[in-house]
């Protein structure tokens, strides 16, 4: 709806300040109701239209927003730099969400199948319990090293480590992975070949023979 994100952030910061908390997760249900109410007021003020409550309308708007992003300045510049034809267009995947902020048995994180600096064959990354992916990278809370997950939840860690090994063998390269734990169940969100140093590349190449 083209309302600047900063204006929503201002509302959230004001409410956290009023409630005397630092983290989003410290707000109770009543505080979040207040956040939602003020967000809706902002949308109405900025767009002249109430925020849609019909799920299908929201979904169609989200899909259209992705297609529209193909023509934003950042996307156009990126295509020029990488010689990507304008006529290729973009695509949208619609899938069920999983939530890492549903309590202390939920969480989210990012990890490499190896240390990207040295190439050491050992999981390297970080995670947060009771958090969404944005919390890990936003710097609002301090993540835990992925090794700590082995102590906090050995079962989930063992499952993740096995999946990580399978992915590296399949793609024949170090993997950069994102995951979410929802109420004690592990979900893999994404994997891709990971960026690493020249030293790490040599170690990986030698080990993979």
């Amino acid at each position: 709806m083209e309302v600047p994100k900063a204006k929503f952030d201002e509302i959230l910061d004001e409410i956290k300040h009023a409630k005397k908390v630092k983290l989003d997760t410290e707000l109770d249900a009543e505080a979040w109701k207040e956040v939602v109410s003020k967000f809706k007021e902002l949308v109405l003020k900025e767009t002249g239209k109430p925020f849609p409550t019909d799920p299908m309308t929201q979904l169609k708007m989200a899909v259209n927003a992705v297609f529209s992003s193909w023509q934003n300045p950042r996307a156009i510049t990126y295509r020029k730099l990488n010689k990507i034809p304008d006529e290729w267009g973009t695509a949208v995947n619609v899938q069920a969400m999983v939530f890492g902020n549903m309590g202390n048995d939920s969480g989210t994180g990012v990890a490499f199948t190896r240390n990207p600096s040295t190439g050491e064959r050992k999981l390297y990354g970080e995670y947060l319990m009771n958090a969404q992916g944005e919390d890990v990278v936003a710097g609002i809370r301090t993540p835990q090293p992925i090794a700590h997950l082995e102590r906090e939840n050995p079962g989930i860690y063992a499952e993740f480590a096995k999946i990580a090994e399978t992915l590296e063998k399949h793609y024949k390269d170090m993997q950069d992975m994102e995951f979410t734990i929802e109420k004690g169940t592990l979900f893999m969100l994404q994997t891709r070949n990971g960026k690493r140093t020249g030293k790490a590349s040599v170690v990986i190449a030698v080990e993979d023979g």
Side-chain angles (χ1 to χ4, degrees), residues 2 7 18 24 87-88 98 106 120 128-129 138 143 147 155-156 179-180 189:
E2 299 188 5
K7 294 190 176 184
D24 296 0
E87 60 269 20
W88 277 10
V98 289
S106 303
E120 179 185 6
L128 273 172
M129 298 306 289
I156 290 290
F179 66 93
T180 286
L189 306 183

Side-chain angles (χ1 to χ4, degrees), residues 6-66:
K7 294 190 176 184
F8 292 102
D9 291 338
E10 286 174 13
I11 291 172
L12 184 56
D13 287 342
E14 286 172 5
I15 292 176
K16 285 195 292 187
H17 180 74
K19 301 294 182 182
K20 295 181 171 59
V21 301
K22 290 185 177 180
L23 305 178
D24 296 0
T25 51
E26 294 175 306
L27 292 174
D28 59 20
E30 291 304 312
W32 280 112
K33 287 179 182 178
E34 185 180 350
V35 171
V36 170
S37 177
K38 289 186 178 295
F39 277 9
K40 287 181 175 179
E41 289 175 9
L42 175 64
V43 169
L44 181 60
K45 178 183 176 183
E46 292 284 322
T47 68
K49 300 176 183 178
F51 186 82
T53 56
D54 176 64
M56 290 307 297
T57 300
Q58 292 178 1
L59 180 59
K60 288 175 182 176
M61 291 176 69
V63 169
N64 287 336
V66 175

Side-chain angles (χ1 to χ4, degrees), residues 160-173:
F160 180 69
K162 185 176 181 180
I163 291 171
E165 182 180 1
T166 300
L167 289 170
E168 182 171 299
K169 283 182 179 178
H170 176 78
Y171 288 106
K172 297 180 174 59
D173 204 342

Side-chain angles (χ1 to χ4, degrees), residues 168-186:
E168 182 171 299
K169 283 182 179 178
H170 176 78
Y171 288 106
K172 297 180 174 59
D173 204 342
M174 181 187 80
Q175 293 300 291
D176 175 356
M177 305 164 292
E178 297 181 14
F179 66 93
T180 286
I181 305 162
E182 182 183 85
K183 291 190 172 297
T185 300
L186 174 66

